[in-house]
Amino acid sequence: ALGASAATEMPPLPEVTGDKVEAEGNFNIKFSIGTTKSGAQYRGLEYFEKIVEQRSGGDIQVELFPGAQLGDDLQATSALQAGTLEMTMPSTSPLVNMFPKFAVFDLPFLFPKPEMADAVLDGEIGQQMLEDASSKGLVAIGWGENGYRQLTNSQRPVDSPDDLEGLKIRTMQNELHMDIWRTLGANPTPMSFAELFTALEQGVVDGQENPWITIKSSKFNEVQDYATETNHVYTPFITLVSKRFWDRLPEEYQQLLRDAATKMGNYQRDVSRTLNDQIKQDLKDSGMQITELTDEQIKVFQNKLEPVYKNWRDEIGGELIDQIRTKV
Ligand code: PAF
C-alpha cells in the first residue's frame, strides 16, 4: 500500500474589489462540481462565493457542493436545465453531445502550452463557444481550467503505447476520448467520475486519466501505483448557470455573476498552475511511481494518434482545428 500524501496548501483567496452592486431581491445559488474540496476547482469556487456574497451585500448566497454529491458533470448539467440546480462547472468533454464543437478540446496534444489554451478560450473562439453554449436551458458565463490530463494505472509503468495493451482505462463519457485509448491499444471504459474511485479500488478498471491535482484530491494514488506524465489532453472547465434561474436575476446581478466567473476562472488557472509541480512531487513522495516522458517518447504517442485527427476532423470542423493551430 502506498503512503498518504501531505495536505495541499492552497494560496490565499484574493481580496474582493469593486463596488457593492445595487439590485432588488434575494437569491440562493447551489453550485455543484465533480472534484473534491481539496482541489483547485473548489478553491476557485470559494473565491466566486466570496465575490458574489460581498458585492451583493449578502443578497445572493452561494452554497458549494463538491465531490459530485449532487451528481456528476452530466447529471448536474441536466439539473440546471430542469431548474433544480443553479450552477455547475463541468469539463467540456461530457457535454460534446450537446455542443459538438467542444470536441476540439478532446483532440490529443492540440495545446502544447497552457498559454495557447488561454489564447483560444479568452479570444474570439472561446467567446463564440460561450455564446453557443448559452442555449438548451443553460447560460455559459466563463472558462476555468481542469488542466492537462495524466495517466495512472495499477498494473505497470507505461512509457510507450505498447505498455497500454489490454489495460482497462476509465474515460469520461466522450467518444473521442474512447477513440484515443482504443487507438493506443488500451481498452477504454466510459464511466461517471462519481463511480471512479470504487472502480479503481475494486479493479473494475486498471487506470484513469486526470490532472495531477485531481489525482491527488481524489486520492487515486492510494489505489494506483503508477502514473505517466502524458499531458495528452488539455481540458477546460465551463461555468454554467441554469437559464431558469438566470432569467429571474436582475441585470445588475447577471453582470455580477459574469464578472465573478471571469475572476474565478483566472484565479483558478493560477492556482492550478502554481500547484501542479508541487502536487506531482507530493504524489511521488507518497510512493507513486511517476514516469516522465522524453520528447521522443511523446512523439511515439502523437504518431500513433494521428488517425484520431482524421476520424474527427469533419465532425469537429477542419476550419476550427486549423484556426486553433495558428494560435499554437
Ligand atoms: O474525469 C472527469 O470526469 C473530470 O475530469 C472531472 C474530474 C469530473 C472534472 O470535470
Side-chain angles (χ1 to χ4, degrees), residues 154 191 195-207 219-220 222-224:
S154 58
M191 185 186 286
E195 293 159 26
L196 181 53
F197 185 89
T198 311
L200 292 169
E201 193 177 34
Q202 297 181 347
V204 175
V205 288
D206 301 311
K219 299 189 163 80
F220 292 155
E222 293 181 6
V223 286
Q224 302 271 273

Side-chain angles (χ1 to χ4, degrees), residues 34-35 41 73 90-91 146 149 170 172 193 209-210 214 237:
T35 58
Q41 188 180 23
D73 281 350
S91 292
N146 188 351
R149 306 184 80 86
R170 175 270 177 178
M172 290 184 285
F193 187 72
E209 40 86 64
N210 253 299
T214 302
F237 283 133

